[in-house]
Amino acid sequence: MSNLTIDSDRLWSSLMETARFGGTPDGGIRRLTLTAEDRQVRDWLRAECEALGCTVAIDALGNMFATRPGTDPDALPIAMGSHLDTQPTGGKFDGVLGVLAGLEVLRALDAAGYVTRRPLMLVNWTNEEGSRFSPAMISSGAYAGVFTVDDVLARTDAQGVTFGDALEGIGYAGEAPVGSVAFGEMFELHIEQGPVLEHEGKTIGIVTGVQGIRWYDLTVEGCAAHAGTTPMPLRRDALVGAAEIVLIVHRIALEHDGVATIGEIGVVNASRNVVPGEVRLTLDLRHPETAALEAMEKAVEAALAGPAFAKTPARLVRMWDSPPVAFDANCIAAVREGAAAAGYPAREIVSGAGHDSVYTARVVPTSMIFVPCKDGLSHNPAESATQADCAAGAQTLLNAMLARADGTN
Ligand SMILES: [Zn+2]
């Protein structure tokens, strides 16, 4: 491995400079996809990449691909990147760090006059956040063939504007067919968006995969009745059943080393003097392994069939199933060795959140690098990562890119 190093100050000043595009007074960024602010940051990125001698291709969904040539013209590029769009209450690092660290890798190589064997590519995916156009990660999904281009272009935002019109509006409806800009491997640096690395004092998360997610709707059926005249033993209180469910899924998640969240709960036709007749809940189950997710689902079903629900039957309906993603062993090894070479404390970690890498992993070997963020906070203007941690992530990215771009396998 070479001793090329990234420039921490240059990376940090680019993070702060681009944070002005959509910057909010509380220190966050509101840069919804395909808006004027998104165009500003895209124009900035394109100009910076072109100044480094890169060729920038844009596909029909506005995904941007900047290629830095290598010495082997037949080799597929090794890609890196993330997204520049943010949530309405976004911070300065979610997605942005992965793109600007990639730019810093290109700048560091340019400054050193170093040319890799395989070409390098920097990618900015459109609409990762999914807050303007649903669902999230839609353009990397289309790249991987999960969504059709026509389907994506026809999606509308809350104002009824289509993705296609918004894309035309900012001048980023590119010529390249979606999926046609090929690369051989993908690396994505991202803030963890969780508290594990910070809690354990680790600088680098070697991301081995993304956990599977299953979403369910739950309904508990009781009998609406008068709150004053219905004696307790004769009640069929649906909220009591729902309360059981809250505790049951909490226990099941602990037992299976997974996570379970009931994020929404509502009494149908709620009234302060009526015994709840029906309660609806949502359930979000996550685990890195399909077998464990399956076991968690079975355990919930078994509990719902038990005596606690004799008077208030509960129904579980699965709404969505996103299987676990295992990242590529060679890419994971490149991240591990890249962190070790720079001497950063690191640990393996499974991503709890979805990322564009979930989709690229379907078509090319992929892995991710995590760095800590303060209190695990994200999708919030107070989202914060230190300059040193951002630089460590970028250095690990550079090391991994060099290992894969100059390596022989
Ligand atoms: Zn992100």
Side-chain angles (χ1 to χ4, degrees):
M1 192 164 292
S2 79
N3 53 6
L4 288 161
T5 54
I6 62 104
D7 182 330
S8 171
D9 289 337
R10 185 170 52 194
L11 170 61
W12 190 256
S13 76
S14 288
L15 282 163
M16 296 308 125
E17 182 184 351
T18 56
R20 290 183 294 125
F21 304 129
T24 52
D26 51 12
I29 303 179
R30 178 189 172 91
R31 192 162 62 216
L32 299 187
T33 194
L34 308 184
T35 57
E37 294 77 29
D38 189 17
R39 179 180 53 71
Q40 287 178 316
V41 75
R42 285 166 175 266
D43 288 351
W44 180 93
L45 179 70
R46 175 153 63 178
E48 293 298 321
C49 289
E50 285 173 352
L52 295 170
C54 296
T55 314
V56 180
I58 295 160
D59 75 13
L61 292 178
N63 293 318
M64 300 172 70
F65 306 88
T67 306
R68 181 177 195 263
T71 56
D72 180 353
D74 299 326
L76 278 175
I78 306 295
M80 58 192 163
S82 194
H83 59 96
L84 290 173
D85 66 325
T86 77
Q87 290 285 335
T89 57
K92 287 200 274 293
F93 302 94
D94 176 2
V96 187
L97 175 62
V99 177
L100 296 189
L103 177 64
E104 176 51 37
V105 167
L106 299 177
R107 284 170 166 173
L109 295 178
D110 185 67
Y114 189 91
V115 181
T116 51
R117 182 172 71 77
R118 294 184 172 101
L120 300 185
M121 182 182 279
L122 175 59
V123 186
N124 171 36
W125 299 109
T126 303
N127 191 59
E128 191 277 344
E129 294 290 0
S131 56
R132 183 173 181 197
F133 299 101
S134 181
M137 298 124 64
I138 200 171
S139 305
S140 52
Y143 182 91
V146 176
F147 307 104
T148 66
V149 173
D150 287 344
D151 173 22
V152 177
L153 292 173
R155 303 268 167 157
T156 52
D157 68 8
Q159 275 69 50
V161 179
T162 66
F163 186 112
D165 285 345
L167 186 61
E168 293 278 353
I170 66 160
Y172 272 85
E175 307 271 290
V178 173
S180 71
V181 184
F183 50 85
E185 293 176 20
M186 179 77 196
F187 290 87
E188 181 175 11
L189 167 65
H190 206 282
I191 54 169
E192 182 197 345
Q193 300 180 289
V196 175
L197 295 176
E198 183 183 54
H199 185 70
E200 294 189 5
K202 302 284 198 248
T203 308
I204 297 295
I206 304 154
V207 189
T208 55
V210 181
Q211 63 185 346
I213 309 172
R214 291 186 183 185
W215 281 359
Y216 307 84
D217 280 349
L218 275 154
T219 313
V220 186
E221 220 181 280
C223 185
H226 195 292
T229 62
T230 317
M232 297 307 281
L234 301 182
R235 292 185 180 203
R236 293 177 53 218
D237 186 333
L239 190 57
V240 174
E244 293 279 355
I245 292 175
V246 172
L247 299 175
I248 284 165
V249 302
H250 190 83
R251 173 175 55 74
I252 288 170
L254 287 170
E255 284 170 1
H256 291 81
D257 221 359
V259 289
T261 305
I262 290 179
E264 295 175 36
I265 179 165
V267 175
V268 178
N269 295 322
S271 174
R272 77 166 65 225
N273 57 353
V274 176
V275 175
E278 184 180 337
V279 173
R280 293 181 191 163
L281 311 90
T282 60
L283 172 62
D284 173 316
L285 294 183
R286 302 189 192 208
H287 199 287
E289 288 157 32
T290 304
L293 262 182
E294 195 64 39
M296 288 167 75
E297 181 182 301
K298 288 274 177 305
V300 174
E301 275 174 343
L304 296 184
F309 297 92
K311 289 207 288 186
T312 55
R315 202 173 66 246
L316 180 75
V317 181
R318 194 204 289 170
M319 308 300 292
W320 184 49
D321 182 7
S322 174
V325 176
F327 286 147
D328 176 76
N330 285 328
C331 292
I332 295 168
V335 172
R336 182 185 299 111
E337 288 156 20
Y344 303 128
R347 63 160 277 165
E348 291 195 353
I349 189 167
V350 174
S351 175
H355 294 287
D356 290 309
S357 291
V358 167
Y359 287 133
T360 61
R362 294 191 182 209
V363 286
V364 295
T366 296
S367 73
M368 294 185 72
I369 303 162
F370 277 174
V371 291
C373 56
K374 191 169 187 303
D375 301 326
L377 197 64
S378 184
H379 292 181
N380 188 309
E383 180 183 274
S384 173
T386 66
Q387 178 174 344
D389 287 345
C390 291
Q395 185 65 47
T396 302
L397 178 66
L398 171 62
N399 293 353
M401 293 296 287
L402 288 175
R404 299 309 296 160
D406 284 341
T408 48
N409 67 343

